[in-house]
Amino acid sequence: MTFSTSSLSVVCDGLQLPGGSCIPARPRGGAALLHGIPSSAAPEPGDEGYGGLAARFAARGWAAVWTDMRAARGSPGWFSIEGWVRDARAVVDAVRALPGLEGLPVALVGSSAGGAVSVEAARRGAPIDALVLLASPAAWISFAADAPAALRRITRDAGMAVAPEVFADPQGWVAEFDRVVPERSIADVDVPTLVVHGDRDDVVPVEHAHRIAAAARRADLLVVAGADHRLRLRPDVVELVLDWLERTL
């Protein structure tokens, strides 16, 4: 299916978040694509980023939007998990505003920490028709318990900036992680949900997927044998997600 690709800024809290869109001529629906916390590791060969993922969605008829959420990869603003929840809602709204999508279903697709904020955005009323979680944590393994380690993970390892006052008193910043807990929030999300996880994920253990699926109202669980954390890089996983969206929506 042919589609057009263009740059797109998603506006949230006055921040212009850089991103893009891939839009087929006759979309069957829309997809908002959310990344996780950036890795300090070098990109894998052939990694086309979320623009490449959006192109795969568009080739199957889904108008897709992606953005770099605040503080990620040079985006403006300070990182906070609550800020990312608001960014997630803004990306959904950007999909809803695309021409030709009036009345069509929209899915929210979040990877890793992007999955965690997707659940919370859905719980708070983001207008979606389906939710897809790729390697999402069920809860934050250490962020809320160890503020210095959390700040190192975000600023040193992920290269994201936080507000200057956070260094003086990080307690309010880390407390936000206790309010964005997928295995709690998912119980209030009443849309079809697909939980996908690799059984060789060494970043977020696969048992997190089982915890989310067990707490969800309407979830299908897919554990991918031999898959690690970066599920978006596996064409077979992307195809499984697209197949599920077509059956579900």
Side-chain angles (χ1 to χ4, degrees), residues 63-232:
V65 169
W66 75 96
T67 192
D68 289 332
M69 291 185 283
R70 67 187 65 197
R73 289 179 283 270
S75 273
W78 312 117
F79 171 79
S80 73
I81 203 65
E82 284 282 356
W84 272 23
V85 172
R86 296 193 294 276
D87 293 346
R89 172 61 187 264
V91 179
V92 172
D93 290 343
V95 176
R96 288 280 181 198
L98 291 175
L101 258 72
E102 297 83 359
L104 296 178
V106 169
L108 181 53
V109 182
S111 295
S112 194
V117 299
S118 294
V119 176
E120 188 63 22
R123 185 187 74 83
R124 298 183 190 183
I128 61 171
D129 301 285
L131 178 64
V132 178
L133 306 177
L134 304 176
S136 173
W140 303 101
I141 297 171
S142 61
F143 277 86
D146 189 340
L151 283 170
R152 287 194 300 272
R153 171 72 181 90
I154 293 300
T155 58
R156 185 187 65 191
D157 299 342
M160 295 191 290
V162 300
E165 60 268 20
V166 170
F167 290 99
D169 182 7
Q171 295 310 309
W173 182 83
V174 296
E176 292 182 2
F177 291 95
D178 276 336
R179 298 196 294 271
V180 182
V181 180
E183 66 183 334
R184 286 203 310 256
S185 299
I186 197 69
D188 296 324
V189 176
D190 193 19
V191 298
T193 300
L194 177 63
V195 182
V196 190
H197 221 99
D199 67 356
R200 293 188 180 179
D201 191 327
D202 60 357
V203 178
V204 179
V206 68
E207 57 99 2
H208 282 240
H210 292 277
R211 286 159 55 184
I212 294 172
R217 293 187 186 186
R218 304 164 62 184
D220 294 321
L221 173 63
L222 175 60
V223 176
V224 183
D228 61 15
H229 188 64
R230 300 179 75 181
L231 294 175
R232 68 173 177 83

